[in-house]
């Protein structure tokens, strides 16, 4: 609140500062303050397209005639050759159209956004992706995991799965427990792999248990340095599911919470979200569905190798009847039941992912079966 009051006196030349401050309010769940700051930016600079897009994402629309529609349509016409801004505005328009039930138009806006996103992404090759997953399954088999396992007694908590599978929701629920710190999406595992095990995964065929123990100890040290007061913390990087065989060998007692969401809901939610250029498959719904199937194949492999270390959370079951699954999850993690986990939206934890406004609503079922709103538009892909 003090930061906000100070911002009221900030000159219009400090647009980046105001924009960053609005982002902090989003993370904290203060929708009103974030919207007011975006409005202030746009009052001074009507062509601040990022502010307009973020305003649209944060706003609960009044209905099909909400003035935001005209603003977004006009902005898309005015944006010119700025491909990224056009992409961002089309994603924002898609969100608004979806919110008021104009699904055909929403899908068209999202499709336009993703077509633009493809221009800044590497081409996606499904056959290369399948070969990559085959390689992970072949290298990280049960024999390799058991042969290379370290003697580490550490038992980190990883939350993983497809992007947009509900991992942020589970992180917030667990983070409301007094013994858990929600660390967010840590980059430590991919970074350590890149630094120590390249070319990956071929290099692991010659890695020794002591070498793996050293890498594992470094991950623990980095985590403790970042969160020195945490009794236990969760690492919620979704695509760590790719590295679970390595992680299991590194930490025989690792605890893995795997988020599983209905295939069409999960993939459509990804298609509706703007990602960076690293997720080449996310700009094409067919590619996303194919990647989902590859990820499911890999998870079946991990389950067959070390299923006792994996707790699978069915997203639809969780939002339909949260307490039984949450109790089982806490038992799996060796923690006592705590009622605060059901009231996670009151905890005040920051949310730094695209799920910020969904999570702030608390538990709701509106995202379950959402794909049926678009069933006729995607029937050829099912």
């Amino acid at each position: 609140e003090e930061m906000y009051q100070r911002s009221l006196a900030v000159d219009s030349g400090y647009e980046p500062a105001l924009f960053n401050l609005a982002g902090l309010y989003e993370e904290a769940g203060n929708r009103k303050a974030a919207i007011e700051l975006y409005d202030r930016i746009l009052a001074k600079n009507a062509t601040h397209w990022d502010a307009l897009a973020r305003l649209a994402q944060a706003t609960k629309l009044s209905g099909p005639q909400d003035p935001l529609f005209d603003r977004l349509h006009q902005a898309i016409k005015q944006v010119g050759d700025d491909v990224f801004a056009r992409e961002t505005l089309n994603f924002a328009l898609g969100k608004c159209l979806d919110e008021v039930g104009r699904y055909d138009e929403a899908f068209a806006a999202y499709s336009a956004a993703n077509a633009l996103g493809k221009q800044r992404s590497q081409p996606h090759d499904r056959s290369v992706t399948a070969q990559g997953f085959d390689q992970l399954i072949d290298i990280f088999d049960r024999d390799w995991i058991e042969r290379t396992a370290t003697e580490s007694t550490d038992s980190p908590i990883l939350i993983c799965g497809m992007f947009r599978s509900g991992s942020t929701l589970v992180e917030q629920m667990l983070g409301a427990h007094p013994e858990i710190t929600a660390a967010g999406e840590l980059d430590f595992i991919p970074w350590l792999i890149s630094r120590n095990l390249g070319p990956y995964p071929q290099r692991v065929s010659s890695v020794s248990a002591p070498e793996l123990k050293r890498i594992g100890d470094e991950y623990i040290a980095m985590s403790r340095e970042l969160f020195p007061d945490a009794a236990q913390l969760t690492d919620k990087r979704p695509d760590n599911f790719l590295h679970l065989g390595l992680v299991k060998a590194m930490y025989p007692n690792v605890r893995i919470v795997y988020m599983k969401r209905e295939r069409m809901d999960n993939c459509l939610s990804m298609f509706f979200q703007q990602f960076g250029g690293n997720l080449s498959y996310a700009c094409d719904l067919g590619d996303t569905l194919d990647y989902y199937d590859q990820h499911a194949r890999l998870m079946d492999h991990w389950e067959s190798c070390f299923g006792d270390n994996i707790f699978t959370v069915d997203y639809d079951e969780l939002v339909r009847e949260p307490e039984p699954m949450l109790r089982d999850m806490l038992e799996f993690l060796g923690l006592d039941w705590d009622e605060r986990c059901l009231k996670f939206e009151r905890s005040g934890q920051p949310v730094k992912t695209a799920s910020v406004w969904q999570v702030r609503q608390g538990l709701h079922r509106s995202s379950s079966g959402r794909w049926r709103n678009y069933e006729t538009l995607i029937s050829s892909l099912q």
Side-chain angles (χ1 to χ4, degrees), residues 106-123:
F107 193 78
Y110 283 128
S111 296
N114 280 290
L116 293 163
K118 274 191 173 183
Q119 297 181 24
R120 60 184 179 88
S121 301
Q122 293 294 321

Side-chain angles (χ1 to χ4, degrees), residues 62-331:
S62 59
Q65 305 305 317
D66 193 291
L68 256 178
F69 286 113
D70 285 339
R71 296 177 70 181
L72 288 168
H73 282 299
Q74 288 300 318
I76 291 170
K77 291 178 182 178
Q78 296 171 16
V79 73
D81 296 330
D82 189 337
V83 174
F84 184 77
R86 187 184 299 274
E87 176 190 345
T88 302
L89 290 167
N90 269 289
F91 272 112
L93 177 61
K95 174 266 181 186
C96 293
L97 290 164
D98 176 86
E99 189 173 320
V100 299
R102 293 162 61 179
Y103 300 121
D104 288 9
E105 295 171 80
F107 193 78
Y110 283 128
S111 296
N114 280 290
L116 293 163
K118 274 191 173 183
Q119 297 181 24
R120 60 184 179 88
S121 301
Q122 293 294 321
H124 182 74
D125 188 321
R126 297 185 192 183
S127 63
V128 172
T129 297
Q131 291 169 13
F133 278 87
D134 286 341
Q135 196 171 43
L136 291 173
I137 291 171
D138 290 342
I139 291 176
F140 296 102
D141 58 12
R142 185 193 300 270
D143 179 65
W144 182 90
I145 293 169
E146 293 177 352
R147 185 177 70 251
T148 318
T150 74
E151 296 181 355
S152 173
T153 58
D154 291 309
S155 55
I157 303 172
L158 270 59
I159 304 172
C160 60
M162 287 285 286
F163 288 95
R164 308 296 294 169
S165 63
S167 57
T168 299
L169 171 63
V170 164
E171 179 198 40
Q172 291 294 300
M173 296 176 84
L174 293 178
H177 195 285
E179 294 184 39
I180 292 184
T181 298
E185 297 183 5
L186 301 179
D187 295 330
F188 297 162
I189 290 175
W191 182 80
L192 287 167
I193 289 173
S194 176
R195 196 183 72 164
N196 296 282
L197 296 174
Y200 184 81
Q202 299 91 332
R203 163 74 170 81
V204 302
S205 60
S206 61
V207 73
S208 65
E211 184 179 3
L212 207 58
K213 175 70 161 54
R214 177 186 60 77
I215 297 170
D217 288 346
E218 190 170 358
Y219 171 87
I220 297 298
M222 293 166 69
S223 302
R224 287 175 178 164
E225 183 176 359
L226 199 59
F227 299 93
D229 299 324
Q232 302 188 63
L233 59 84
T234 56
D235 180 345
K236 189 207 74 73
R237 184 180 170 105
D239 57 357
N240 275 336
F241 78 84
L242 294 165
H243 311 304
L244 294 184
L246 178 72
V247 171
K248 166 61 176 173
M250 199 178 295
Y251 309 110
N253 299 317
V254 65
R255 292 164 291 172
I256 300 160
V257 177
Y258 164 56
M259 289 302 305
K260 183 177 183 180
R261 188 175 179 187
E262 196 280 331
R263 179 174 179 264
M264 290 303 302
D265 272 338
N266 199 155
C267 294
L268 202 62
S269 183
M270 288 194 67
F271 190 67
F272 291 172
Q273 178 61 49
Q274 186 176 23
F275 290 98
N278 293 330
L279 296 184
S280 61
Y281 63 88
C283 295
D284 181 284
L285 188 54
D287 288 342
T288 307
L289 288 161
D290 179 76
Y291 191 91
Y292 181 99
D293 293 340
Q294 297 295 339
H295 122 276
R297 184 164 66 96
L298 181 60
M299 287 307 306
D300 286 343
H301 172 70
W302 299 143
E303 182 71 31
S304 71
C305 291
F306 47 91
D308 290 346
N309 292 84
I310 302 172
F311 184 90
T312 298
V313 179
D314 183 288
Y315 173 84
D316 295 313
E317 184 179 343
L318 178 67
V319 297
R320 182 173 59 250
E321 196 172 358
E323 185 170 333
M325 180 162 286
L326 188 52
R327 284 183 178 274
D328 289 345
M329 197 188 320
L330 290 173
E331 182 179 355

Side-chain angles (χ1 to χ4, degrees), residues 359-374:
V359 168
R360 296 302 181 191
Q361 297 176 43
L363 283 170
H364 60 90
R365 304 180 191 176
S366 59
S367 294
S368 290
R370 183 187 182 193
W371 71 271
R372 297 192 182 280
N373 296 327
Y374 298 87

Side-chain angles (χ1 to χ4, degrees), residues 10-16:
V10 172
D11 183 80
S12 61
Y14 289 85
E15 286 171 15

